Amino acid sequence: MSTSTDNNASITQESGPSAAVQDIQKKIVVRTADGEVFNLKEEVAMEIDIIKTFFQEDSISYETVMPLPNVEGWEMVKVIEYCTKHVELKHKVDGYKERKAFQALFVQNLSTKSLLALTNTANYLEVKYLLDFLCQAVSEQIKNKDVDYVRELFGVENDFNDEEYEQVKAEAPWAHENLNNDLH
Amino acid sequence: MADYLPEDVIVRIMQRLPIKSLIRFTCVSKRWRFIILSDPEFAMSQFQIASHHQTLCHRLLICTVSISESFNSVDEFNSLDLDTPPPSPLGETSLVLRKVRCPLTQHPVTILCSCNGLILAALYDQENKMFIWNPSTQFFKKLPDPADLPSELLCFGFGYLLATDDYKVIANFKVSDDYYVDEVEEEKKGKEMHIFSSKANTWKRTEAPLDFDFDFEGTLSNEVLHWPDNFGIFAFDLAREEFRRMPLPIPGGEGEFRYVRAFGDCLCAFDFANLDTASSIDLWVMKKYGVADSWTKLFNLKVSDQPEKIPYCLPVSLPLK
């Protein structure tokens, strides 16, 4: 399956005087792991360092469709959403409140697992500010969880034996109290 | 993307966690324990991010000495949360002290000073050993010995340089009497400042002015350590690693400035000149660091009617939020 997803409406031709002021920004095309194709505005695409490096440093023609085999379609949608907003707010003097509101909505319906996958993607795509934001969001979600939850979430194996574990836990028993393991 | 996160991303997440969570997560695995407790880069970056987000909490470290069953002296460390409101005088709740484990088991451990949640401590036995210790995460580092087998620690200081992400320790040692050939050499050597850089992990030496003669902690403000005498302030710039003089509020030695302290970014000086006559202490603040004209008298503090008991009080400052 292959669908073409535009992130803005500038492709449609309009008749009348406004047509002269048509957005003629260049587009960059990427294809994600599930075969979805995305058309990105150049200024948004350049926020994503791995794409920027691919096209600019290696002087590859913009007609090439860049493959992103490690990225899922839904993740690309989210990344484009964040970078587009970031570019928009760059030119605003007082965008603090708007940014905070946007960030809250952005993570609202994401499960912790999805958040983790998106964090991984932001790291792979090399979008530093998105990576920092997502790391902060993950830390908020896990800060009151217990050790078992964290091991399961990150896929970390427990290499302490029972005795060792009791010993390290006993160093600071207060740190293991008042936790909240609600499923998120 | 794939389920597992590379370690550097996990570290980025860890850097944003509060201390309680970090300490709990030292039990996740041996690798996590190592990163959180033993990786000095992690300690530095975590602190910077927490400072930036203002998620640091303020605790007071209290050390006491008790006698164990085998009649050995044992140092005990407890910490007190300064952020929660104090218990009401009529209430039954007492202050909650949290026991803190110290990696040093020998005695006596002397807590010298602290900076950014790190403690500078010393152990005086046959040789002098100095340590940097983080009571929250148990990060612990023994400093290499300064060369020349120094003896008694006189003045000292501990500070952090943001630009180079470097912790510096400075110390001035009294050298034992039989060490030098002649008095001139002894005079000179006694005025050497030893400087330790955490980044370089070595000590170096620089000369101190001949009239620099202090045996207590320098006050840190604006990445400079300060010691007052009656004619001015000796300032040791941690970045430049050199001394300079700064003026006190009242020129000509008319005041009696025993202490300087840091409040926020400003340096404050306590003038005890009126203590005998008026039973009061004047508090001055240098509103613009380094600008002599900006010394402003904030208030005059009337003390009890027993001024002879005051001389040994030590002003303590708390970080401003």
Side-chain angles (χ1 to χ4, degrees), chain A residues 114-130:
Chain A
S114 301
L115 203 53
L116 227 57
L118 198 56
T119 306
N120 217 0
T121 299
N123 182 52
Y124 167 75
L125 290 176
E126 297 171 44
V127 188
K128 187 171 185 294
Y129 52 80
L130 177 58

Side-chain angles (χ1 to χ4, degrees), chain B residues 159-164 220-226 236-240 289:
Chain B
Y160 175 70
L161 293 172
L162 187 63
T164 49
L220 182 70
S221 176
N222 292 280
E223 301 185 355
V224 175
L225 292 165
H226 305 83
F236 185 75
D237 186 322
L238 286 174
R240 292 206 182 98
Y289 182 76

Side-chain angles (χ1 to χ4, degrees), chain A residues 49-99:
Chain A
D49 279 357
I50 201 180
I51 298 179
K52 183 173 170 185
T53 310
F54 183 81
F55 285 99
Q56 283 194 343
E57 290 188 13
D58 300 345
S59 300
I60 298 204
S61 138
Y62 280 20
E63 283 173 13
T64 317
V65 176
M66 180 182 178
L68 293 173
N70 292 333
V71 182
E72 298 294 316
W74 73 267
E75 292 170 335
M76 200 65 217
V77 169
K78 287 301 262 180
V79 171
I80 292 171
E81 183 190 336
Y82 199 92
C83 293
T84 306
K85 192 66 173 179
H86 183 91
V87 167
E88 184 193 309
L89 287 176
K90 256 191 211 179
H91 307 296
K92 264 201 176 165
V93 173
D94 191 20
Y96 181 79
K97 270 194 179 155
E98 202 183 324
R99 184 190 303 277

Side-chain angles (χ1 to χ4, degrees), chain A:
Chain A
M1 160 194 95
S2 175
T3 44
S4 197
T5 314
D6 287 351
N7 65 337
N8 66 27
S10 64
I11 293 271
T12 49
Q13 290 284 353
E14 287 175 333
S15 56
S18 57
V21 201
Q22 189 64 259
D23 177 0
I24 51 163
Q25 250 197 14
K26 289 188 267 182
K27 290 299 180 116
I28 283 180
V29 188
V30 303
R31 182 191 296 113
T32 51
D34 43 5
E36 274 202 63
V37 173
F38 294 86
N39 287 296
L40 283 74
K41 265 169 141 176
E42 185 188 11
E43 67 173 353
V44 173
M46 290 300 137
E47 294 290 304
I48 302 168
D49 279 357
I50 201 180
I51 298 179
K52 183 173 170 185
T53 310
F54 183 81
F55 285 99
Q56 283 194 343
E57 290 188 13
D58 300 345
S59 300
I60 298 204
S61 138
Y62 280 20
E63 283 173 13
T64 317
V65 176
M66 180 182 178
L68 293 173
N70 292 333
V71 182
E72 298 294 316
W74 73 267
E75 292 170 335
M76 200 65 217
V77 169
K78 287 301 262 180
V79 171
I80 292 171
E81 183 190 336
Y82 199 92
C83 293
T84 306
K85 192 66 173 179
H86 183 91
V87 167
E88 184 193 309
L89 287 176
K90 256 191 211 179
H91 307 296
K92 264 201 176 165
V93 173
D94 191 20
Y96 181 79
K97 270 194 179 155
E98 202 183 324
R99 184 190 303 277
K100 285 289 159 194
F102 170 78
Q103 284 175 339
L105 274 178
F106 187 81
V107 293
Q108 208 175 49
N109 294 316
L110 290 175
S111 68
T112 311
K113 282 259 178 199
S114 301
L115 203 53
L116 227 57
L118 198 56
T119 306
N120 217 0
T121 299
N123 182 52
Y124 167 75
L125 290 176
E126 297 171 44
V127 188
K128 187 171 185 294
Y129 52 80
L130 177 58
L131 177 62
D132 283 342
F133 165 65
L134 290 171
C135 286
Q136 181 67 38
V138 173
S139 78
E140 293 288 325
Q141 289 199 8
I142 67 170
K143 68 186 183 189
N144 286 324
K145 300 286 195 269
D146 71 11
V147 170
D148 286 323
Y149 178 100
V150 166
R151 281 186 192 133
E152 211 249 288
L153 185 68
F154 291 96
V156 176
E157 213 186 282
N158 176 18
D159 54 354
F160 289 117
N161 65 37
D162 286 343
E163 200 191 305
E164 286 168 335
Y165 179 75
E166 286 311 312
Q167 241 177 1
V168 295
K169 189 172 170 188
E171 279 174 3
W174 54 270
H176 297 256
E177 291 161 12
N178 296 323
L179 300 181
N180 160 27
N181 276 323
D182 293 349
L183 280 176
H184 193 97

